[in-house]
Amino acid sequence: MSKIALITGATSGIGEAAALRLAENKTNLIITGRRQERLTILKNKLEERNVRVLALCFDVRDELAVKDALGNLPEEWRKIDILLNNAGLAAGLGTLQEGDSDDWSLMIDTNVKGLLYVTRAIAPGMVERKSGHIINIGSIAGKEVYPNGNVYCATKHAVDALTKAMRIDMLAHNVKVTQICPGAVETEFSLVRFHGDRSRAEHVYEGYESLVAADIADCIWFVVSRPPHVNINDMVVMPTAQASATLFHKE
Ligand code: NDP
Ligand code: 8X3
């Protein structure tokens, strides 16, 4: 029987690429994000691949909206096999002493609290069925702290810790928990980080070959397609031209 995957942040980048890759492999999909128009376009694209798709438009920061959307799923969508906690963002890149508390709240509320709200809604069903796989998209920023990365790095360190915590809490219930930590992936990530400044965003990916979202989708498919007794705990994936959060080989 086909599996069901729920992807947060499927309207762009890694989440969208993961939806396409899972659909190629006959996984039915619940796709989520805040941009309804993009969800509709993606739903149509996925359905052309002959999978069933449910599009849910909500903000992961809004606990009531998360509960409402995920607590009232149609019967045929309730047995979620795979949860991809992908929705996330960086806002700003600057020193802590000059930081903007609105940016901090946006990152903490999305990357940490949003991930918690969605997991809290979905994990009990997995525990009850003694089956499921939660995949958290962390970052190299959850392994290292880099100049001006402060709060974004803190949120991804929190994802690293929460991934370990989930694995412990769900150990007795046969729920797999994986973290995938990418280095630089060219998506809308930097455009969002630099508040829409396209030239600054493009500069991040100049002079070397960055990862693309499909590279991370490959990793996601690899981890979900392992046999039942195998769990990939943690995967750090970098461009060949990147050795650490700050060290790039640029031509
Ligand atoms: P994108 O900006 O392309 O995609 C981010 C996705 O998150 C969008 O679909 C967006 O949808 C969704 N999202 C953001 N905020 C919310 C919210 N409040 N509620 C619901 N959905 C939300 O970036 P990426 O694909 O690169 O980012 C995906 C994940 O990968 C993030 O967690 C990011 O931190 C992580 N990551 C990215 C790396 C990179 O270099 N690109 C490297 C390491 C990790 P919408 O706007 O429609 O709500
Ligand atoms: C995104 C990668 O290095 O900009 O998580 O933090 S980085």
Side-chain angles (χ1 to χ4, degrees):
M1 211 177 70
S2 293
K3 290 192 169 181
I4 297 176
L6 164 61
I7 301 176
T8 65
T11 55
S12 168
I14 294 169
E16 182 182 17
L20 290 164
R21 182 57 43 88
L22 289 168
E24 277 165 21
N25 289 286
K26 303 295 163 226
T27 308
N28 296 317
L29 291 156
I30 304 175
I31 52 170
T32 78
R34 291 166 299 177
R35 287 171 285 182
Q36 179 62 59
E37 199 177 310
R38 288 200 187 196
L39 286 173
T40 304
I41 293 167
L42 180 62
K43 181 178 193 290
N44 293 336
K45 221 192 242 187
L46 293 166
E47 283 173 343
E48 285 166 13
R49 288 156 172 81
N50 294 318
V51 292
R52 291 190 301 121
V53 182
L54 178 67
L56 298 175
C57 190
F58 63 86
D59 187 326
V60 295
R61 291 173 296 168
D62 182 341
E63 187 177 8
L64 284 181
V66 171
K67 280 186 175 160
D68 187 43
L70 301 181
N72 294 301
L73 289 170
E75 180 61 36
E76 67 273 24
W77 287 101
R78 288 193 191 154
K79 291 183 182 160
I80 293 168
D81 300 286
I82 299 160
L83 166 60
L84 179 61
N85 276 318
N86 164 76
L89 80 180
L93 182 70
T95 61
L96 197 76
Q97 60 273 24
E98 292 163 324
D100 177 336
S101 63
D102 288 339
D103 282 347
W104 298 348
S105 297
L106 182 56
M107 291 186 276
I108 293 166
D109 292 351
T110 309
N111 302 356
V112 184
K113 292 169 75 179
L115 178 144
L116 286 169
Y117 298 151
V118 172
T119 305
R120 181 66 184 84
I122 301 303
M126 293 180 167
V127 165
E128 198 184 312
R129 292 188 297 280
K130 295 221 166 292
S131 169
H133 194 165
I134 299 172
I135 301 159
N136 296 327
I137 301 298
S139 171
I140 186 62
K143 304 289 184 185
E144 298 172 33
V145 177
Y146 54 81
N148 301 318
N150 42 66
V151 176
Y152 178 67
C153 294
T155 65
K156 290 298 182 178
H157 276 70
V159 173
D160 191 62
L162 289 171
T163 303
K164 290 172 187 154
M166 286 178 198
R167 196 176 303 119
I168 293 166
D169 291 352
M170 288 176 237
L171 176 65
H173 305 287
N174 196 41
V175 176
K176 296 187 187 191
V177 183
T178 297
Q179 176 178 236
I180 298 179
C181 297
V185 190
E186 187 164 4
T187 61
E188 292 178 13
F189 175 84
S190 292
L191 192 62
V192 172
R193 165 170 260 175
F194 297 127
H195 304 295
D197 183 336
R198 196 164 287 280
S199 67
R200 206 169 162 205
E202 283 167 3
H203 185 66
V204 173
Y205 308 106
E206 280 168 2
Y208 70 101
E209 187 170 354
S210 70
L211 298 174
V212 293
D215 296 320
I216 305 305
D218 284 344
C219 300
I220 291 164
W221 176 247
F222 178 79
V223 305
V224 302
S225 59
R226 293 311 86 209
H229 69 289
V230 178
N231 182 53
I232 308 296
N233 283 3
D234 204 0
M235 197 187 249
V236 180
V237 192
M238 312 279 275
T240 306
Q242 182 179 9
S244 73
T246 51
L247 196 55
F248 290 80
H249 178 66
K250 297 196 178 188
E251 300 293 345

